[in-house]
Amino acid sequence: MSKEYLLKVKNLSCERNYKIIFNKLSFNLYPRNIVFIDGNNGSGKTTLLLCVSNILTYSGEVLIKKGIDNFGYVGHRNGLYDTQTVDSFLYFWKNIFNYKKSYQAIIEYFNLNKFIDVPVSSLSFGQKKKLSFARLIMMKSKIWLLDEPLSGLDKKTKKIILKLIQEHLSLGGGALATSHERISYFDKNKVTRVKID
Amino acid sequence: MIKLFFLFLLKDFKNYLLDSNKSWFAISFFLLCLLIFPLTYGSSVDLLKKTAIASIWICALFSNLISLESLFKEDYQNGVLLQYRINNIPFFIIVMTKCISHWVFTSLPIIFFSPIFLIFLSGSSNDAMGLFFSLLFGTPLFSLVGMPIAALTLGASARGPLLIFLSIPFFLPIIIFGVLGVNSFNNGSYSEYYLLCAILSISIVILPYITIKILWESLK
Amino acid sequence: MLKYFHKYANPVKFLTIVLPVRKIMGILSLGVLSVGLIFALFLSPPDYQQKETVRIMYIHVPAAWMSLMIYAFIFFSSVVFLVWKFPLFLILAKESVTIGVIFTFTALLTGSLWGKPTWGTYWVWDARLTSFLVLFFIYLGLKLIMESFSYSSKGDYTFAYLALIGGFNLPIIKFSVDWWNTLHQPASILRTGGISINSEMLIPLFLMAIGFLFLFIYILLVSVDINLKKRKIMYYKNKPNN
């Protein structure tokens, strides 16, 4: 295991709405590793992800490996415009991220061939989630922040997404996930578990 | 940067065009408001003639107020704004394209057809030129000044009424200079236009930055 | 300097230091206001033109001064909060709003009551009155935005930013209304020049103004105290393991 971390969190505390969400949290994220954040509902898992991505103000330290300036984020809200079609959505984000390759492969991967001209508003929940992950692929970010990536999906979709995460890890990326589903899918040596109480 | 700007502008235009509620709402609301003035004045054409310019400005104000609500609402609610923030996309582009598309779809039709509305309200055709220019300089300010206020109220309970209540005091100078500008245009004095342009140029510099700060806060 | 400041910008420390000041302010405001009122209502001479109605001035003018001053106070505390993030200044600014609303309303009400005997009408669309009405609405806007975020800390920054924009806009609004008024002077019997003030009227006027200022400080400190205690209760309620 290389000593070079992607993300190092030291004594992270966060206060939101006049209450302390979590106190003095520390963990490291190494390349090819995944960190699972455990905790009950309302314990501040989403807050932690937002702190790491420097949106919320926090006390403590969050060190990010030099050269990484953006995060891939998949949250509860998918971040899709209802009026965009799947095609225009992919085209839009492809241009934002300067993704050189064609996104045809992504469409194939997610089985979205039939829905290419369908507006996002008429897609199902799982398909929207897939689009959210499609954006993640085009982003080419080393660190992925996944907020409950698997909740509410069927078995097949779960498998696709787990495979995707695995692939991302094998390419030297790291992920921060707030789910406790399917931990066994990943190599035990590469999983870190962090508990928030 | 410029490529990104046009990408976002195109996206916003498309968003307005595809959502027929959004693109037609402002202008149809404007027409509906305009209908009220002749009806309330009874048969007094004289009164209508005198207040034609003021009526058009008031309707422009109302349609701007109504359409302000949708300015950042969708982006905020569906989480796109959060995505932009996490991915370090320059917010200046987002804010400016929002502002431009809002102006194009709420105020530009009003400006363009203002001479027709003036005839509609039996105003004198001498004022048409003055009205056109006063709307041209005044309405971008509606969008610009409304922008930080629309950002402020994101996530508030009862957002719509709150937004209208907050923005009217800030719109007062614009409507005052706008209406007065038409009157003095015929006398050959353009001082109100200069004032509007001055406020406009200051606002373009300052307000987008304040809006960006507020939007960042709203994501917390 | 900033470090020293930071020490006293801690809300709880601030309260303990300020408690004696608060008591003094309470007593002083009571004293000054009662003396001022005696002067204003009985000892000062009636105006030679307006007769006894001029006594409304002793409430009206200080209230108007106070409402402007309180807005300036809110503006500067919001700026301090936005720049240095001292929570104390936000609380000070937030608690001033209600007092500002009351003072502005008093000024408007007494103004219109005063207007009836002197101008013959309760309301004139005069530049000063109009801009004061706008100030009142901006105050109400601040109050409303405070209420609509009452369950989250998001409202803190929202409030401060609104106070900031409002502060920049008020001069523009004042200017525009002045402009509008000079072009469309309403046909009123508004006397230009106002009342000639002699020293016998000036003394109670200033006494009332100082009394109002003390009253403002007193009410502000009391409400800051209440606010902090409320926060404390909320904090203990929300503490993870109690």
Side-chain angles (χ1 to χ4, degrees), chain B residues 77-124:
Chain B
Q77 278 181 347
N78 61 20
V80 187
L81 218 51
L82 190 68
Q83 286 286 353
Y84 293 150
R85 177 90 170 89
I86 290 179
N87 295 314
N88 285 328
I89 291 160
F91 262 53
F92 187 76
I93 290 175
I94 298 163
V95 165
M96 281 321 281
T97 52
K98 280 267 166 213
C99 184
I100 290 168
S101 57
H102 178 259
W103 180 72
V104 165
F105 282 94
T106 24
S107 303
L108 202 59
I110 298 174
I111 298 170
F112 201 72
F113 293 113
S114 64
I116 298 168
F117 298 140
L118 199 65
I119 295 164
F120 191 56
L121 291 180
S122 54
S124 73

Side-chain angles (χ1 to χ4, degrees), chain B residues 63-83:
Chain B
S63 61
N64 264 287
L65 278 177
I66 292 291
S67 60
L68 260 188
E69 206 207 337
S70 64
L71 193 54
F72 293 111
K73 188 176 155 200
E74 198 192 352
D75 294 56
Y76 176 75
Q77 278 181 347
N78 61 20
V80 187
L81 218 51
L82 190 68
Q83 286 286 353

Side-chain angles (χ1 to χ4, degrees), chain A residues 56-115:
Chain A
L56 297 179
T57 41
Y58 54 83
S59 57
E61 269 185 290
V62 176
L63 301 169
I64 302 156
K65 191 187 160 189
K66 265 184 195 157
I68 298 177
D69 58 346
N70 63 349
F71 295 98
Y73 177 79
V74 171
H76 295 287
R77 291 180 294 181
N78 291 315
L80 312 171
Y81 289 107
D82 281 348
T83 47
Q84 272 178 333
T85 58
V86 172
D87 190 51
S88 63
F89 166 82
L90 290 169
Y91 178 78
F92 177 59
W93 288 95
K94 176 190 144 129
N95 276 300
I96 288 179
F97 295 130
N98 264 326
Y99 186 70
K100 292 284 186 299
K101 281 181 268 177
S102 160
Y103 49 75
Q104 196 57 40
I106 298 170
I107 295 170
E108 303 264 315
Y109 183 81
F110 285 118
N111 270 331
L112 288 169
N113 283 326
K114 282 184 207 155
F115 302 97

